[in-house]
Amino acid sequence: MLDRCLCGASLIGIPVERVTDDELRLQLAFQGALAGQVQEGIPSLSVPAWMTLFHRVAALFDAERESRSGQIPGLHRLDLAIAVNRQLASLLAAWPAGFYHYLDDLQRHAEPSFSLVRTFGRLYRWLYRDFEGDEFAFLRDAFEDYLREHWWGLLCRRNRRLGTRTTGSRKTAQAIAAAAGTTPARVRQLHLVGWVEADIAAQPSGRRAWSFPASQVEPIATLIADGLTLKDAATYLQLPKHRVRELIAADMIKPLLSTAGHGAATWLISKHQLDDLGRTHLAGQAPVADEEPPDCVPLVQILKAWRLEAGAFPALLHALQSGVLAAAHTRDMESTGLGGLLLPRRGVQAWLAHWRESNGRSYSITDAAGILGIKAQVAYHLVRCGLLESTSSPLTQVRRVSRDGIAKFKARYISLVEIAKRSGTSPKQALHRLQIHPVVGPAIDGCRQYFYLRSDVEHLLDQPLQTQESGNA
């Protein structure tokens, strides 16, 4: 009878069951095993091995039987056999992609743990117990390859079932720190700021377990070898530590680790970044001169003695990097730290005056004297007697003169030198002929120059003093 099976089932009345190519290929491989033939693209297994695989996959996808042993009942039914065939085909599809996808699902839905048994459950036990022998080696090899790439936990000698190539793929914080020549705390901090890959699992006790890929040893060692503490960075740049902090605050130096932002015990600053910071000015420079250029001053001396206000140093360094200012050439320029750069005195003074003017900054008393066209000693006297307004920082106790203070002084006071110039005579003759009492001067309070209230002499300016004397007579 062609329309009936030997068991009596009708071959004509059975509905058509459409399957995917992977499911069909799997059934052809199983039939090939029955006939002693090999199917390409599918693992070559014996009939008992296929049966074991079918039974274990059927139990693997049955959540109700997760804690129960024994065979899955009803596998002789066509609908259940088709379902198991579909599940097994999904595992073997595009090997090992389908298997990896299933392992990803297990790991994603499991509680964070470094235990392979807790994460992969029965599958892990079956791989090394029920799937023993060379026929199932492809399953174990794929599983261990997956662990080396995607497992977040540690794989050490306690995992005796795994091969030695797999157990060395991840390390503890202590082991990877020892291999990289640093401390476990430093390694953990590098991970927390994003420099190092790691996985963290919270244990039931609340303790956190760390795991690092063995491939991270070299990157960590490179970071540590390239890193400097804040003190070492200051020595390397030939600058005070507070100037290095100023560049960090201005985001011109980006430390790998900091005591403030990252909670590290010591700073970790990249030496290569400092090299780039200090040697950008060398690009496009002319050949090195034989002699040291005249009228130049080291950058560290400018920072120490010129009383720069907040923000001036980062702006000065940016001017060097952008080519607005150029360092003078010396033969050892390549090995000179940032603080040892020789800068043209007049060029820096002109740049600084322009920067202060553009940014509304205050001036030192010496700079204010230059703007007013008087000597620094006279400017200091005017500040002491209150004619030239100034302010002082509570931290530095250094007095500064604002632009408004300079403008107010010019609007209210005028020097004897300017009166004489505008009247076409000498300061000595102007002092003798003027019948107006000065505010300050050598004979008044010891100031080296005479100054008058502008309101007292405004009507006499730009007129010959002889005419003034005639009018007074």
Side-chain angles (χ1 to χ4, degrees):
M1 298 290 292
L2 298 179
D3 60 344
R4 289 187 178 278
C5 177
L6 294 177
C7 67
S10 174
L11 299 178
I12 299 175
I14 297 177
V16 176
E17 183 76 24
R18 295 192 176 275
V19 296
T20 64
D21 291 341
D22 292 327
E23 296 174 53
L24 179 59
R25 191 179 299 111
L26 176 60
Q27 278 301 303
L28 292 175
F30 182 59
Q31 292 179 17
L34 290 170
Q37 300 173 352
V38 177
Q39 178 74 22
E40 293 185 3
I42 290 291
S44 178
L45 300 177
S46 64
V47 174
W50 276 117
M51 295 303 295
T52 301
L53 198 55
F54 270 106
H55 285 139
R56 288 294 173 261
V57 169
L60 198 62
F61 284 90
D62 189 346
E64 295 181 358
R65 300 185 64 85
E66 183 174 352
S67 59
R68 297 165 58 188
S69 60
Q71 300 293 337
I72 301 297
L75 279 181
H76 62 281
R77 290 167 37 196
L78 186 59
D79 57 341
L80 185 55
I82 290 175
V84 175
N85 185 77
R86 183 175 296 118
Q87 293 161 349
L88 181 55
S90 68
L91 287 182
L92 300 180
W95 184 260
F99 187 49
Y100 282 5
H101 179 71
Y102 176 70
L103 295 176
D104 283 337
D105 286 340
L106 289 179
Q107 191 168 201
R108 184 166 51 251
H109 293 98
E111 292 291 332
S113 171
F114 284 176
S115 170
L116 293 174
V117 175
R118 291 177 186 172
T119 303
F120 299 106
R122 296 171 296 172
L123 175 63
Y124 176 64
R125 294 193 297 270
W126 290 346
L127 283 172
Y128 295 94
R129 187 185 64 188
D130 293 14
F131 295 143
E132 290 181 334
D134 295 339
E135 283 189 295
F136 295 113
F138 74 99
L139 284 173
R140 295 190 296 272
D141 290 344
F143 179 69
E144 295 188 13
D145 288 342
Y146 175 86
L147 293 180
R148 282 191 291 272
E149 275 189 65
H150 305 288
W151 174 237
W152 56 44
L154 299 172
L155 298 170
C156 53
R157 293 179 181 177
R158 290 184 302 173
N159 304 104
R160 295 186 297 273
R161 292 170 173 172
L162 305 179
T164 56
R165 191 166 63 95
T166 304
T167 55
S169 61
R170 298 191 72 87
K171 294 179 178 292
T172 63
Q174 291 77 7
I176 202 166
T182 185
T183 63
R186 186 66 101 192
V187 171
R188 294 189 187 100
Q189 290 160 357
L190 288 172
H191 164 70
L192 293 176
V193 298
W195 291 106
V196 175
E197 295 180 22
D199 289 294
I200 307 172
Q203 303 295 336
S205 63
R207 177 178 171 272
R208 295 195 305 171
W210 292 68
S211 145
F212 296 83
S215 59
Q216 294 295 293
V217 172
E218 185 176 349
I220 294 173
T222 300
L223 289 172
I224 296 302
D226 183 49
L228 298 173
T229 64
L230 182 66
K231 180 180 179 181
D232 292 337
T235 303
Y236 188 75
L237 292 176
Q238 299 180 18
L239 292 174
K241 285 196 297 185
H242 73 276
R243 291 299 183 182
V244 179
R245 289 181 181 270
E246 189 174 354
L247 294 180
I248 292 173
D251 209 29
M252 300 188 77
I253 295 178
K254 298 180 180 180
L256 303 175
L257 291 175
S258 69
T259 56
H262 306 140
T266 56
W267 293 76
L268 192 66
I269 301 172
S270 170
K271 185 188 299 183
H272 284 83
Q273 187 182 156
L274 299 184
D275 290 338
D276 295 338
L277 176 75
R279 293 173 184 170
T280 308
H281 58 276
L282 294 176
Q285 295 281 351
V288 177
D290 291 335
E291 298 180 359
E292 184 175 308
D295 197 24
C296 288
V297 57
L299 174 59
V300 67
Q301 184 65 25
I302 294 175
L303 300 177
K304 180 179 180 180
W306 286 27
R307 295 180 177 178
L308 302 182
E309 53 270 61
F313 175 40
L316 176 60
L317 184 55
H318 180 72
L320 279 171
Q321 293 176 341
S322 61
V324 175
L325 286 173
H329 288 283
T330 58
R331 285 202 169 276
D332 59 347
M333 192 173 185
E334 290 280 353
S335 58
T336 300
L338 184 63
L341 292 181
L342 294 177
L343 305 181
R345 185 188 304 273
R346 294 184 181 275
V348 176
Q349 288 173 341
W351 173 87
L352 190 58
H354 175 74
W355 180 81
R356 286 168 171 163
E357 185 72 22
S358 302
N359 292 272
R361 304 285 178 165
S362 58
Y363 301 90
S364 67
I365 296 177
T366 302
D367 292 335
I371 296 173
L372 292 171
I374 59 178
K375 293 184 178 297
Q377 183 179 356
V378 176
Y380 276 100
H381 185 93
L382 295 175
V383 168
R384 284 194 298 269
C385 65
L387 272 64
L388 181 59
E389 295 180 3
S390 65
T391 58
S392 64
S393 168
L395 297 177
T396 62
Q397 299 298 320
V398 175
R399 304 202 70 83
R400 312 280 304 178
V401 181
S402 65
R403 287 194 298 173
D404 289 341
I406 295 174
K408 287 179 181 179
F409 181 84
K410 285 183 176 181
R412 191 172 184 184
Y413 302 102
I414 185 171
S415 67
L416 177 63
V417 174
E418 185 177 351
I419 294 173
K421 183 177 180 180
R422 294 178 63 173
S423 301
T425 185
S426 67
K428 185 175 182 179
Q429 290 177 337
L431 178 65
H432 177 71
R433 294 171 181 173
L434 278 175
Q435 302 299 316
I436 299 172
H437 189 71
V439 180
V440 294
I444 305 300
D445 58 359
C447 182
R448 294 185 62 180
Q449 280 187 248
Y450 285 102
F451 285 87
Y452 295 81
L453 284 171
R454 191 175 287 273
S455 59
D456 291 344
V457 299
E458 193 72 36
H459 65 287
L460 301 177
L461 298 177
D462 302 322
Q463 299 180 27
L465 286 180
Q466 290 81 358
T467 305
Q468 296 174 22
E469 288 183 307
S470 299
N472 292 333

